[in-house]
Amino acid sequence: QVQLMESGGGSVQAGGSLRLTCAASRFTYGRYCMGWFRQGPGKEREGVAALDHDGSITYADSVKGRFTISQDNAKSTLYLEMNSLKPEDTATYYCAADPRWWLQLSPAYVHWGRGTQVSVSS
């Protein structure tokens, strides 16, 4: 199946920036939606940003204007540029993929990475 691995998490102060990377493999055939999700302490997993097969992008309202999702030309790597970070952005961030290209920020993705931790201090 599709394999995903996140990297780039870390600890920053409020207002700082981080860039998360998701390396994807086994995208041999078919169209996929890819997205970033996060889960903070005591919270449900939530969609952050998604990119479908034709480049359509969806952001959660909480990150609009601060986060940017992008993909390399080979579509083997997904990025999440996070700027103006806030303490409430503290969470484990997951990369996800699904052949149902229309999922956007739905948590129903079938392929997940193991996550990378982002901690933002005030």
Side-chain angles (χ1 to χ4, degrees):
Q1 293 184 336
V2 173
Q3 297 180 348
L4 306 170
M5 182 175 292
E6 306 93 339
S7 62
S11 298
V12 297
Q13 295 190 52
S17 300
L18 284 172
R19 189 191 195 195
L20 305 184
T21 298
C22 172
S25 63
R26 297 182 182 271
F27 280 45
T28 305
Y29 185 79
R31 298 175 181 269
Y32 280 81
C33 182
M34 299 191 70
W36 289 97
F37 292 75
R38 67 186 183 186
Q39 187 168 18
K43 297 181 178 180
E44 295 284 316
R45 186 170 298 186
E46 63 177 347
V48 175
L51 179 66
D52 77 9
H53 70 285
D54 68 357
S56 179
I57 295 172
T58 304
Y59 293 103
D61 288 342
S62 60
V63 306
K64 286 181 179 178
R66 300 190 297 120
F67 291 11
T68 302
I69 188 172
S70 61
Q71 193 171 46
D72 69 355
N73 291 334
K75 298 185 178 181
S76 61
T77 308
L78 187 72
Y79 303 97
L80 185 68
E81 181 71 32
M82 305 185 294
N83 298 312
S84 301
L85 284 162
K86 304 175 181 179
E88 53 262 44
D89 295 319
T90 295
T92 300
Y93 283 71
Y94 300 89
C95 177
D98 198 291
R100 296 170 293 177
W101 53 266
W102 45 265
L103 283 177
Q104 298 178 343
L105 298 181
S106 169
Y109 286 57
V110 296
H111 303 293
W112 296 86
R114 293 184 177 182
T116 186
Q117 180 66 38
V118 172
S119 298
V120 184
S121 60
S122 61

